[in-house]
Every structure is written in C-alpha cells, then in structure tokens.
Amino acid sequence: IVDDSGNSVSFSKIPQKVYSTDYFIEIILLGLVPERLLATSAATRDPSLSLASKKASDPKYRLRSLTISPEEIFNMKPDLIIVNRQTKIDETEMFRGMGIPVVQIDLPTDGNSVNHAIRLISSALRVEERGQLMIDRMNYELQRIDENLSHI
C-alpha cells in the first residue's frame, strides 16, 4: 500500500499484531480488528474522551503510556505500527530501522478524511470489507443525526 506520506509499505504476511501511537487510530483499530491491537492509551480508555473506552479498557490490551520506550514497543513484537503523520520522523525511522513496517496516516479533519483513514488502515490489514462496513455504519448514523436535526 502507499501511505499518506507517499511511502510504499509492503508486508510479508497479513499483520496480526498492530501497535499505534495515536488515539484516533486506536479507535479505528478497535472497530476493525480489536483482536490484533496490542495496546491502548489512557486517552482511549477514558470515558470522558472516548466512546470506545469500555472496549479499550479490556485487560487483554497493554496500557500504552506517553513515555513508552522503543524497546517496550519492540518487545511487543508488532507486525505493523500505524502512526499519524505528526509523529516525529526520527521515531518513525527508528521503528523502520527495527524492521517493523510503518504506515503513516494524516489526522482526519472531516468526514471524507475519516473515511480515507479507515480505508487505508483496513487495506493495510486486509480487512477492506470490515472497513467499508464501518464507513457505511458511520455514514448511516450521520444521516440519521442530520434528519433528526432538520426537524428542529
């Protein structure tokens, strides 16, 4: 696949152990492939910040802190790390230097860019149908909200 930084990323096998450095990406992963996610952040677990907090708080996920070391990430043995494009370049390059494929995602700013992020992530994980279902559900809910608001 080609990520949002224009990097071509290939995999020898379908990624089964995925790590993310971003709260938004964790939420997408919890919706697409919760069984493949290695860790969740405190923000994703916080019910005041995340609608996915209950799912994210499952003890099977390691708690990802802001100060997690590259060694700790490497020891989780991820097949893929997904980062937002604002992640420091040296950090991204360090992961690549460890031999871990890295996909960079633009942080979404609107519905179309959220759809794009879901499509890119689902493509990297070879779960395109799940990704399209997530997009369809989201668009359906947004349409319902618009319809309800139009009566106000």
Side-chain angles (χ1 to χ4, degrees), residues 76-122:
M76 287 187 220
K77 300 184 180 353
D79 303 309
L80 173 64
I81 296 177
I82 305 175
V83 302
N84 75 54
R85 283 193 52 200
Q86 284 69 41
T87 300
K88 295 176 186 173
I89 292 172
D90 57 336
E91 195 175 310
T92 301
E93 290 305 316
M94 181 177 38
F95 295 141
R96 288 186 178 123
M98 294 176 178
I100 304 167
V102 176
V103 170
Q104 293 180 293
I105 304 283
D106 285 326
L107 286 179
T109 56
D110 60 22
N112 288 332
S113 56
V114 170
N115 292 347
H116 169 76
I118 293 169
R119 283 190 181 99
L120 183 56
I121 292 168
S122 63

Side-chain angles (χ1 to χ4, degrees), residues 19-24 26-27 30 37 39-46 50 53 56-57 61-66:
Y19 181 83
S20 174
T21 60
D22 188 84
Y23 155 82
F24 168 75
E26 288 175 7
I27 291 173
L30 283 166
L37 182 60
T40 56
S41 64
T44 307
R45 292 171 182 239
D46 185 336
S50 170
S53 62
S57 296
Y61 303 118
R62 294 184 192 188
L63 177 60
R64 176 176 69 79
S65 69
L66 292 175

Side-chain angles (χ1 to χ4, degrees), residues 114-139:
V114 170
N115 292 347
H116 169 76
I118 293 169
R119 283 190 181 99
L120 183 56
I121 292 168
S122 63
S123 178
L125 299 172
R126 306 297 194 310
V127 291
E128 291 88 345
E129 287 181 20
R130 286 189 204 176
Q132 190 58 52
L133 284 172
M134 178 183 270
I135 290 167
D136 292 345
R137 272 194 320 265
M138 182 180 64
N139 288 337

